[in-house]
């Protein structure tokens, strides 16, 4: 997971989406949830790609910052967000 969070960090920094952190890891509250799945692709012992599937929770979804998703929640739809692709 550490390698995955490092890859995400570097991609976000490179694209200007975040400032470089001392840890050089991209960590969010969503990664702490048991309903978030982090997918890693490895070649030998090296993580070469990653992505995450975040299920809607009391924290909401990362995209809630950019769009109102309540119309879908009000229909009792189960929401997930694919995130952290790197």
């Amino acid at each position: 997971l550490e390698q995955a969070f490092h890859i995400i960090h570097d991609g976000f920094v490179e694209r200007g989406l975040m400032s470089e952190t001392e840890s050089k890891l991209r960590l969010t509250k969503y990664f702490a949830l048991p309903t978030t799945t982090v997918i890693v692709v490895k070649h030998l012992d090296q993580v070469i790609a990653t992505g995450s599937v975040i299920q809607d929770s009391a924290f909401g979804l990362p995209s809630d910052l950019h769009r109102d998703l309540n119309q879908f929640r009000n229909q009792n739809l189960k929401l997930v967000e694919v995130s952290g692709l790197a």
Side-chain angles (χ1 to χ4, degrees):
L1 285 175
E2 184 176 340
Q3 288 180 30
F5 298 151
H6 180 72
I7 290 171
I8 298 168
H9 171 275
D10 289 352
F12 272 59
V13 169
E14 184 178 308
R15 286 164 187 76
L17 299 172
M18 69 178 278
S19 298
E20 187 170 331
T21 65
E22 186 176 328
S23 69
K24 298 191 185 313
L25 301 173
R26 169 78 175 162
L27 298 171
T28 70
K29 61 186 177 186
Y30 303 100
F31 292 129
L33 296 172
T35 53
T36 295
T37 302
V38 178
I39 301 161
V40 296
V41 178
K42 292 176 76 173
H43 177 71
L44 302 175
D45 288 333
Q46 184 71 29
V47 175
I48 60 171
T50 186
S52 300
V53 179
I54 302 168
Q55 292 183 37
D56 200 12
S57 70
F59 288 155
L61 294 168
S63 57
D64 283 317
L65 295 173
H66 308 287
R67 183 174 172 104
D68 182 4
L69 300 173
N70 287 324
Q71 65 180 345
F72 304 110
R73 290 183 179 104
N74 293 338
Q75 296 175 44
N76 293 319
L77 296 174
K78 205 167 195 177
L79 303 178
V80 299
E81 182 170 331
V82 177
S83 183
L85 300 173

